[in-house]
Amino acid sequence: MHKTICIVTQSHLCRNPRALKEATALAAAGYDVHILTGSVSADLYAQDLSAIADFPNIRLQLVSDLSKTNLKSFADRFFNKLGRWAIRRFKIENSLALGYGALRYYDAARAIKADLYICHQELPTCIGSRLLNAGFKVAFDLEDWYSEDLLPEARAERPIGLLQRAESEALRKGSFCITTSNALAEKLAQQYSSPKPRVIYNVFPRPEISFQKTKLFSKPLKLFWFSQTIGPGRGLEQFIKILHSLKTPIELHLLGNVTESYRQSLIALLPSQHHLFFHDLVPENQLATKITEFDIGLALELNTPASRNYTITNKFFQYIQSELPVITSETEGQKEGYDLFNPGFKLSQQPDSAEIEALEKWLNSPEELQLAQNRAIEAGAFYNWENESKKLISLVGIALEK
């Protein structure tokens, strides 16, 4: 009889590749996988179904569906708004503020009677602590440091204490707990006086695309950055400020959803010797090919909030797997990913004139760029899902035997 693994998450699989990779790896290993999640878009849900179409032993169940206009979706929006208001106005912490369908997740999870639950993201981590206390076997994937995430204005509506208690339970009582970097694992263990969570890097399968052994770098160089949303607090403004000191023209390419006001603010910031281009989102399975169109990947991050400082952005891994040199912001997490192979240029949070001069020299050296690409190829052979998924399969096997 096959064992059932229930992955509890709260966002679309096509927008949460870590949960998708875990689901398909477990399904390929012979487990029956049941995914609980929510939907905000019929189009994205169709992409979710397409992503798991080759795995008949994966079942996707929506706990909340905001793409539909009905009483349930209205109630989900209302209770989420009520939960956030209660925190902001009265400091009453609650799980309603963490997502949609919060009142239904626990019962939906219990009903599956899985042999093991793996909880991702904020609301499922809180649900997982309830499942633990009810006697279920629960593991946790702390993709971020949830209680130390987001900018200050967003934290005003966030149940910080509730998240801290859930993180503590996950680290102390979970069948296993994993996270995305050694830097974050060590910090979490220190913060909660808990065992150190295991590390599974947020890497991707090696892309099935043909690369050039010797890359032909463009003139001007095409620098690339991507995210679901192009917005403040991600290091873009700081990098554009650096570009004011670079005489060498470059093209800055940004991929993601962006508001018109923020688009115009970036255009106004960019000095005239450079050019700025915006690109629409592409399906997840087309991203690796898209990245190869450019010369250098930008793994930009600020060192605040703390979660950003200790995690390694998935951009870094996707660039090296597409064989791009990387300009990496120096954070505790990024240093961990970068320093083993040095596949590009590491930029401090507040670079001085000497560092900016070194960056310009690097950008103008075809030999240095080619060397960085070679190191990116080496890094991509080490940091990939084929290697990291073995850790997950081992952890699940051990947990099920207990």
Side-chain angles (χ1 to χ4, degrees):
M1 186 174 178
H2 290 176
K3 297 285 188 180
T4 298
I5 312 295
C6 178
I7 292 177
V8 189
T9 183
Q10 63 186 111
S11 61
H12 285 281
L13 295 179
C14 62
R15 296 292 181 256
N16 185 9
R18 188 170 173 94
L20 174 60
K21 288 178 298 182
E22 290 181 12
T24 54
L26 291 167
Y31 295 106
D32 290 328
V33 180
H34 196 124
I35 304 172
L36 290 179
T37 190
S39 172
V40 297
S41 160
D43 289 340
L44 294 179
Y45 180 56
Q47 290 184 42
D48 294 343
L49 294 176
S50 176
I52 59 174
D54 293 335
F55 297 91
N57 51 336
I58 298 181
R59 181 187 171 193
L60 186 60
Q61 178 183 343
L62 296 183
V63 179
S64 172
D65 188 356
L66 299 191
S67 69
K68 295 180 179 178
T69 304
N70 54 31
L71 184 60
K72 186 179 286 187
S73 64
F74 174 82
D76 285 348
R77 287 188 174 91
F78 172 78
F79 281 118
N80 177 251
K81 187 175 182 179
L82 178 65
R84 290 184 283 111
W85 176 81
I87 296 173
R88 185 178 66 253
R89 182 70 176 83
F90 298 108
K91 310 300 181 187
I92 300 174
E93 295 205 345
N94 62 88
S95 62
L96 297 174
L98 293 174
Y100 302 106
L103 298 175
R104 295 192 298 277
Y105 262 94
Y106 177 70
D107 288 338
R110 280 185 64 105
I112 294 168
K113 298 179 181 178
D115 297 287
L116 176 69
Y117 295 84
I118 304 177
C119 295
H120 288 247
Q121 302 177 296
E122 294 94 331
L123 176 59
T125 300
C126 295
I127 299 301
S129 65
R130 289 184 64 188
L131 291 168
L132 268 177
N133 293 326
F136 290 93
K137 193 174 287 189
V138 188
F140 296 86
D141 188 342
L142 301 182
E143 301 180 17
D144 291 295
W145 190 354
Y146 306 130
S147 62
E148 295 291 341
D149 203 6
L150 301 185
L151 299 174
E153 57 269 25
R155 288 172 64 85
E157 297 181 342
R158 200 159 172 80
I160 304 299
L162 179 65
L163 287 169
Q164 289 173 336
R165 291 190 293 274
E167 287 169 344
S168 179
E169 292 256 309
L171 289 160
R172 293 167 175 268
K173 300 180 182 179
S175 293
F176 63 81
C177 190
I178 59 178
T179 193
T180 56
S181 73
N182 281 295
L184 181 55
E186 290 169 3
K187 191 66 178 178
L188 288 169
Q190 176 188 347
Q191 180 75 16
Y192 292 108
S193 300
S194 71
K196 181 181 171 182
R198 298 290 295 272
V199 175
I200 295 181
Y201 289 118
N202 201 19
V203 295
F204 295 81
R206 303 203 71 182
E208 296 179 1
I209 51 181
S210 298
F211 297 106
Q212 295 174 324
K213 290 186 177 180
T214 301
K215 186 172 179 62
L216 301 176
F217 291 94
S218 307
K219 288 188 178 181
L221 289 169
K222 297 179 180 180
L223 277 55
F224 180 66
W225 182 95
F226 72 94
S227 186
Q228 297 300 317
T229 302
I230 303 171
R234 307 302 301 275
L236 290 172
E237 297 92 339
Q238 289 79 0
F239 186 72
I240 289 176
K241 184 179 178 181
I242 292 169
L243 293 182
H244 281 262
S245 301
L246 297 184
K247 300 181 181 66
T248 305
I250 62 98
E251 292 183 4
L252 179 58
H253 292 259
L254 308 178
L255 181 147
N257 294 317
V258 62
T259 64
E260 185 57 30
S261 61
Y262 190 67
R263 178 200 296 262
Q264 293 303 323
S265 72
L266 292 182
I267 291 172
L269 283 175
L270 193 77
S272 59
Q273 69 266 34
H274 308 302
H275 293 90
L276 180 58
F277 300 88
F278 293 89
H279 301 260
D280 293 332
L281 286 171
V282 297
E284 187 66 35
N285 60 2
Q286 297 177 22
L287 182 58
T289 302
K290 182 71 175 179
I291 291 173
T292 62
E293 298 175 9
F294 306 95
D295 298 303
I296 298 169
L298 296 173
L300 306 176
E301 285 295 349
L302 303 180
N303 57 5
T304 56
S307 181
R308 295 255 177 94
N309 190 34
Y310 290 101
T311 54
I312 307 173
T313 176
N314 64 345
K315 299 176 185 61
F316 171 79
F317 295 122
Q318 289 190 291
Y319 296 143
I320 61 175
Q321 287 180 335
S322 294
E323 303 191 351
L324 257 62
V326 186
I327 296 175
T328 307
S329 298
E330 188 172 31
T331 66
E332 291 301 317
Q334 301 274 80
K335 284 190 291 185
E336 177 184 328
Y338 179 92
D339 286 354
L340 193 59
F341 293 94
N342 298 309
F345 194 96
K346 186 166 60 178
L347 199 60
S348 62
Q349 290 291 322
Q350 295 181 320
D352 58 19
S353 57
E355 188 175 355
I356 295 173
E357 185 177 328
L359 172 63
E360 180 145 37
K361 183 179 179 182
W362 181 77
L363 290 170
N364 281 287
S365 172
E367 295 80 14
E368 287 295 321
L369 292 175
Q370 185 62 60
L371 179 61
Q373 189 210 10
N374 294 340
R375 289 172 174 165
I377 293 170
E378 292 178 25
F382 178 80
Y383 292 121
N384 58 65
W385 185 241
E386 287 79 4
N387 290 338
E388 295 299 296
S389 62
K390 295 173 185 175
K391 301 178 186 178
L392 174 69
I393 301 303
S394 175
L395 287 169
V396 168
I398 294 168
L400 289 172
E401 289 174 2
K402 291 181 179 177

